[in-house]
Amino acid sequence: MRSLSIIIPAYNEEQRLPGSLETVKSYLDSKGFDFVEVVVVDDGSRDRTAEIVRETALRDSRVRLVSNPGNRGKGYAVRHGMQEAKGDWVLFSDADLSAPIQELDKLIAAVRREKADGAIGSRALDRSLVGKHQSFLREFAGRFFNLIMRLATGLPYRDTQCGFKMLRADVARIVAARQQSEGFGFDVEILYIAHKHGFRVVEVPVRWFNAEGTKVSMWNGLTAFADPWRVRLNDLKGLYK
Ligand SMILES: Nc1nc2c(ncn2[C@@H]2O[C@H](COP(=O)(O)OP(=O)(O)O[C@H]3O[C@H](CO)[C@@H](O)[C@H](O)[C@@H]3O)[C@@H](O)[C@H]2O)c(=O)[nH]1
């Protein structure tokens, strides 16, 4: 794999983004990609997120800012990033690098080994390593969500919500053109669309060090349980053809 776009959706990330961008840049320096770009999709942040990316881009041409006019949600931002990506493969990563960027090596190895069309990081497999546990309630909710998700969609995954996913660019484009969800429900949806179109996306155990703070509200958590059913309904309506 020689050509990669790293997409980072960012909403009010002035605290976490500068360190993360430096970490990603050093990692990329140690790798020999023919083409690599880091596309930060700022989603109408009210802090210095966009300014930080602009300043970093002046010093490093691999970094690029994409701006949304307002705050539309993580799903909208990732879709925008997929549409803008120029690499042959795309990786989505959260701005806090909860999954360390070095875990990309595991996704790349899995895709090569399995001749897959994509790979997703997972916190719920035997060899996953979750360094800093979330609250019991959130962990339980996550497991229950994935059970509902499997029932509603028939997808085989143990953890659809890990923000560390890699797809071949042609798969990402097919998915982005059909994606309806603009919020946190997009993870299940993109996997469902990829699966429906016959692509194989494998689940890979990764290390995950949950950073302090979250943009996921209690309301987001509650409404998430409807998302997998909405995906099924959208499919019945023919929206994913
Ligand atoms: N562009 C954009 N990005 C957003 C928004 N809300 C959150 N994000 C971005 O989405 C990423 C994840 O947000 P966190 O605040 O770090 O969430 P978390 O608690 O670690 O979230 C976990 O659950 C989410 C929902 O299932 C997952 O999306 C995420 O990957 C992770 O597993 C960050 O890069 C954050 O800036 C938004 O409205 N717009």
Side-chain angles (χ1 to χ4, degrees), residues 16-173:
R16 314 195 284 188
L17 200 56
S20 297
L21 284 176
E22 290 311 311
T23 305
V24 170
K25 281 163 46 182
S26 318
Y27 167 81
L28 294 176
D29 289 342
S30 71
K31 300 280 158 183
F33 290 105
D34 291 340
F35 170 84
V36 71
E37 61 176 354
V38 181
V39 182
V40 181
V41 187
D42 172 43
D43 199 38
S45 298
R46 293 183 307 273
D47 66 2
R48 293 187 65 253
T49 297
E51 225 170 308
I52 288 165
V53 182
R54 251 185 241 112
E55 283 164 9
T56 314
L58 286 176
R59 285 179 275 114
D60 191 322
S61 60
R62 295 173 298 187
V63 178
R64 186 149 73 90
L65 172 70
V66 167
S67 291
N68 292 337
N71 180 228
R72 299 287 299 264
K74 185 182 178 189
Y76 183 94
V78 170
R79 182 176 60 198
H80 196 174
M82 289 197 278
Q83 288 161 341
E84 289 274 337
K86 296 191 172 82
D88 293 344
W89 287 80
V90 296
L91 170 80
F92 326 136
S93 167
D94 289 345
D96 55 5
L97 299 185
S98 284
I101 189 67
Q102 290 76 8
E103 299 303 280
L104 175 58
D105 297 352
K106 293 181 187 161
L107 300 194
I108 293 175
V111 157
R112 281 205 182 118
R113 192 174 58 239
E114 314 258 345
K115 298 192 176 22
D117 307 297
I120 61 171
S122 177
R123 300 161 290 192
L125 298 177
D126 283 349
R127 281 177 298 115
S128 307
L129 199 153
V130 180
K132 191 171 169 193
H133 283 279
Q134 295 176 325
S135 68
F136 172 75
L137 187 65
R138 193 146 178 222
E139 188 149 345
F140 177 76
R143 295 207 175 237
F144 188 54
F145 170 83
N146 276 279
L147 182 68
I148 301 286
M149 180 284 300
R150 287 193 293 278
L151 274 172
T153 64
L155 289 171
Y157 304 112
R158 313 302 300 183
D159 178 17
T160 52
Q161 299 311 104
C162 177
F164 199 69
K165 296 186 168 64
M166 188 176 77
L167 295 173
R168 216 176 44 235
D170 58 309
V171 180
R173 276 190 280 275

